[in-house]
Amino acid sequence: MTISELHDKTKAYLFDLDGTLYLGERLIEGAPEALAFLRGAGKRIVFLTNNSSKTALRYEEKLRNMGLFEDGDLVYTSATATVHYLLRHFRGKQIYLVATEEVKEEFISAGVHVGEEDPDVAVLAYDTELTFAKIEKLDALLRRGIVYLATHPDDVCPTETGFKPDVGSFLKLFERSAGRLPDRVIGKPFPDMAKGVLSHLNLRSDEVCMVGDRLYTDIRFANRNKMSSVLVLSGESNLLSLSKFPDKPDLVLPSVKSLIPPAKNSG
Ligand SMILES: [Mg+2]
């Protein structure tokens, strides 16, 4: 597929954040220009992240400050997708939610019934305010056989200084202690994240392109959910890791800057 063929068929571009648009606090060169080009061509811009430790609004502020977010763009996190999943399948049920205070507020204001008395479902989000009391409570609920959801599967979260343990690492903890794996994981590469964002955008999967730097989340997400995909080599993948991985993207670009087609020579 060429870049012009991709632009012709695509109505919305879903962008991964870290490794794709920035590295830590540093913008990837040409990222704001690439987004501006796509908006100018009438494309919808969506920022899609598995990180469920911050609210969509917090991401919007961060992206706006970095010159990446404009009115009309959308932030869609694995927490947003989990809220949509809960409202579709467990509306009115009580949810025991392990999450940061701000993400808990986001669930509650979206209409999720968060409580601790007699929950029907337990949800593990990326809780960077995790305490032993919360671990103990979730463990006890899992032993009782309660429905168990996780916002996303990532083992680690990239930071400016290295990696932090992410939800996938905590899933291992509960696997060892309560003998349970989640009944469902919502975020990339799984289908509920795709269903949620596509129904929010009111688009079909073939009208959407995922742009990201991780093969086993971003590119696998696109392939499993029948979206187009672009792998950018500005983050954790290179041509060697691509050659060893079973899922292939439609296009490989050095960075998002290359989404701007080269100026055509006239004549
Ligand atoms: Mg990434």
Side-chain angles (χ1 to χ4, degrees):
M1 196 186 290
T2 66
I3 291 188
S4 348
E5 285 166 351
L6 179 71
H7 289 330
D8 285 346
K9 67 180 287 196
T10 303
K11 293 186 175 164
Y13 282 86
L14 314 181
F15 284 92
D16 168 59
L17 299 180
D18 217 289
T20 301
L21 297 174
Y22 52 75
L23 286 164
E25 298 297 313
R26 191 165 53 84
L27 266 182
I28 298 221
E29 198 225 318
E33 292 78 5
L35 297 180
F37 165 79
L38 294 172
R39 285 185 202 105
K43 312 301 180 190
R44 189 88 196 267
I45 303 294
V46 179
F47 302 94
L48 197 78
T49 178
N50 267 0
N51 192 324
S52 58
S53 69
K54 299 187 187 80
T55 62
L57 197 61
R58 180 85 63 182
Y59 269 113
E60 187 180 315
E61 284 165 12
K62 174 183 172 153
L63 292 165
R64 221 181 257 282
N65 289 337
M66 294 181 95
L68 293 168
F69 190 98
E70 296 276 331
D71 290 343
D73 295 352
L74 173 72
V75 173
Y76 200 87
T77 74
S78 71
T80 324
T82 303
V83 165
H84 289 160
Y85 181 84
L86 289 169
L87 294 176
R88 263 200 316 276
H89 299 279
F90 294 97
R91 189 177 280 273
K93 300 283 185 191
Q94 193 183 123
I95 313 298
Y96 178 67
L97 176 63
V98 180
T100 58
E101 277 308 308
E102 66 171 61
V103 167
K104 200 174 272 185
E105 286 305 314
E106 187 180 40
F107 273 65
I108 293 167
S109 52
V112 174
H113 175 32
V114 173
E116 301 195 0
E117 302 313 312
D118 188 21
D120 304 286
V121 180
V123 174
L124 179 63
Y126 189 18
D127 189 356
T128 51
E129 298 156 5
L130 191 64
T131 61
F132 192 77
K134 291 182 185 179
I135 292 176
E136 222 179 342
K137 172 83 182 173
L138 177 58
D139 182 72
L141 290 170
L142 296 183
R143 283 166 195 275
R144 273 198 241 154
I146 188 172
V147 176
Y148 175 26
L149 308 178
T151 55
H152 62 292
D154 306 40
D155 291 330
V156 292
C157 176
T159 72
E160 296 94 285
T161 49
F163 293 96
K164 285 184 195 167
D166 202 334
V167 164
S169 303
F170 294 105
L171 296 180
K172 287 284 178 201
L173 186 158
F174 293 106
E175 185 185 356
R176 296 300 290 258
S177 69
R180 293 277 309 271
L181 285 169
D183 299 305
R184 210 158 180 95
V185 182
I186 305 295
K188 293 181 284 184
F190 296 107
D192 293 306
M193 184 89 162
K195 274 184 211 159
V197 74
L198 289 173
S199 93
H200 195 85
L201 294 169
N202 200 19
L203 290 176
R204 296 190 316 263
S205 56
D206 62 343
E207 298 173 314
V208 165
C209 175
M210 177 75 216
V211 183
D213 71 310
R214 253 186 194 178
L215 290 159
Y216 60 95
T217 52
D218 302 321
I219 303 308
R220 179 156 284 173
F221 175 72
N223 289 355
R224 279 191 180 179
N225 297 293
K226 304 194 167 34
M227 298 167 177
S228 314
S229 64
V230 173
L231 178 73
V232 287
L233 301 177
S234 50
E236 72 168 41
S237 302
N238 54 39
L239 291 174
L240 181 66
S241 55
L242 173 62
S243 72
K244 291 179 176 167
F245 196 76
D247 288 51
K248 304 299 176 200
D250 292 300
L251 276 176
V252 182
L253 299 176
S255 78
V256 284
K257 192 181 181 182
S258 308
L259 286 170
I260 305 174
K264 287 176 188 151
N265 291 317
S266 57

